[in-house]
Amino acid sequence: MSVSPPAVCPRLLDRTPPPAASGPAGDPPSAVPQLRALLAEGTADLPAPGSGATPARWAALARWGRTDLSLARLGEGHADAVAILAEAGREPVPGATYGVWAARSGGTGAVLTGGPGSWRLQGRVRFCSGAHGLDRALVVALTADGARVADVALDRAGVHRVPGTWETVGMARSDSVDVELDDVPVGDDALVGGPRWYTARPGFWHGGAGVAAVWLGGAAGVLDDLRTALLETDPDEHRLALFAELHAHLAACDALLSATASEIDDTPAAPHRDAAWTVRAAVELACRRVLDVAPRLAGVAALTRGGPLAGRLADLGVYVRQHHGERDLAALGAAVLATDGDR
């Protein structure tokens, strides 16, 4: 007897999967045109975290991730930049698409030299999503007094995209190449917040937790494809059990995200650092299980005959590595043990 698997219907995710993302034909090299379409429609304008509608914000992020993780990466970056500007009492340039470029891995990262009236950006920044197509980026750069944020127009002289630094199948359309900053002038009015403000503000942790909603959406997209594949067969009890396990993982993460979003709205001035670490850890662990189980559950045919599943798995495997694994878990473990932890 054929038994239909249960529908995936966690709290932030719609019961019915969203339609496939629409964009230029021919698998374009970047998802920026789709981001521009969202901006033109007004659907990229999300409520700020802590504004009383954080669950709605995270539901939108999850919906984007469930549809197209490369688009979601750019959409989340744009929404985060707008929220950062708002937290500093600033407005984005009307109609501009934004990213947040803050990576400092492998000894790289931006440096801001000079002083009032003569600031200059130097250095290489990795993983600059949307590098070839975005209009502006909030670049996080070190100064002698601590990190600062600069709102940079990406058509300025000295902003160089480095070829060959994003050669990947997963998240290819996020266009996350390295960018070399070569003596880029920065006006005083382009600096956002003061020294060390970027990581000291509550929104730093609120935004970090929101990224987990995108991961959740990406994992839910995988389950959507698995459900389609299972409904086309007569799944045995072992496959049904594996599918149910993944469904339960995502439902639990969804409930945790929903609760965390409500906590942030209840006390928006608090950083909720430990809650952010916790929800990121929970979703990352669930995604790891999805990445392990889904190929075995789907089988070779579902992975090799032109459907979206293989691409979704590749995207999710790359994107979820924004979580730093055991390093982040160690920080969470220390915080949980501390008597003054923000739990």
Side-chain angles (χ1 to χ4, degrees):
M1 179 179 68
S2 176
V3 179
S4 297
V8 181
C9 51
R11 298 182 186 182
L12 290 186
L13 301 172
D14 297 330
R15 185 179 296 271
T16 303
S22 59
D27 193 20
S30 170
V32 170
Q34 292 164 272
L35 174 62
R36 292 193 186 281
L38 292 180
L39 200 62
E41 296 166 0
T43 51
D45 299 327
L46 303 185
S51 65
T54 302
R57 177 185 179 88
W58 289 3
L61 295 177
R63 185 166 57 252
W64 293 345
R66 193 174 181 179
T67 302
D68 180 338
L69 273 175
S70 286
L71 172 60
R73 173 68 191 95
L74 299 183
E76 186 277 329
H78 174 84
D80 190 36
V82 172
I84 292 167
L85 290 169
E87 203 167 358
R90 304 277 289 270
E91 293 286 339
V93 173
T97 53
Y98 275 84
V100 179
W101 296 353
R104 308 202 66 81
S105 67
T108 63
V111 177
L112 188 65
T113 60
S118 62
W119 297 106
R120 294 288 188 275
L121 273 175
Q122 308 277 356
R124 177 177 289 203
V125 185
R126 287 182 171 176
F127 314 128
C128 296
S129 295
H132 288 91
L134 294 179
D135 300 311
R136 308 185 70 85
L138 299 186
V139 178
V140 181
L142 289 184
T143 73
D145 297 322
R148 299 202 67 172
V149 180
D151 184 350
V152 179
L154 299 180
D155 59 356
R156 300 209 66 164
V159 179
H160 304 298
R161 289 77 174 169
V162 182
T165 53
W166 190 247
E167 296 185 350
T168 175
V169 174
M171 298 297 291
R173 294 172 54 253
S174 70
D175 185 26
S176 300
V177 300
D178 291 7
V179 170
E180 193 77 38
L181 302 168
D182 182 11
D183 202 35
V184 179
V186 176
D188 294 345
D189 60 350
L191 295 179
V192 180
R196 297 178 295 279
W197 173 82
Y198 175 70
T199 55
R201 62 197 170 86
F204 177 78
W205 298 102
H206 304 170
V211 172
V214 186
W215 301 341
L216 175 69
V222 172
L223 259 67
D224 291 336
D225 292 341
L226 292 175
R227 184 175 189 274
T228 298
L230 290 176
L231 288 172
E232 292 173 350
T233 65
D234 186 8
D236 60 26
E237 290 182 348
H238 298 289
R239 297 178 78 197
L240 289 172
L242 287 173
F243 182 79
E245 178 197 341
L246 299 184
H247 166 76
H249 281 307
L250 298 198
C253 288
D254 195 295
L256 180 59
L257 272 163
S258 295
T260 303
S262 296
E263 289 175 11
I264 288 172
D265 281 341
D266 288 343
T267 51
H272 298 279
R273 182 201 66 185
D274 293 5
W277 271 335
T278 299
V279 76
R280 285 170 62 93
V283 177
E284 189 268 347
L285 288 167
C287 288
R288 268 202 266 167
R289 187 59 177 159
V290 168
L291 290 166
D292 176 46
V293 170
R296 293 187 282 121
L297 197 160
V300 174
L303 293 169
T304 59
R305 297 190 177 180
L309 179 58
R312 286 194 201 263
L313 288 168
D315 287 347
L316 183 61
V318 171
Y319 195 5
V320 79
R321 293 280 41 90
Q322 282 191 320
H323 188 274
H324 301 116
E326 283 70 20
R327 187 173 71 188
D328 285 359
L329 290 173
L332 173 59
V336 171
L337 289 177
T339 57
D340 59 348
D342 168 28
R343 296 194 292 275

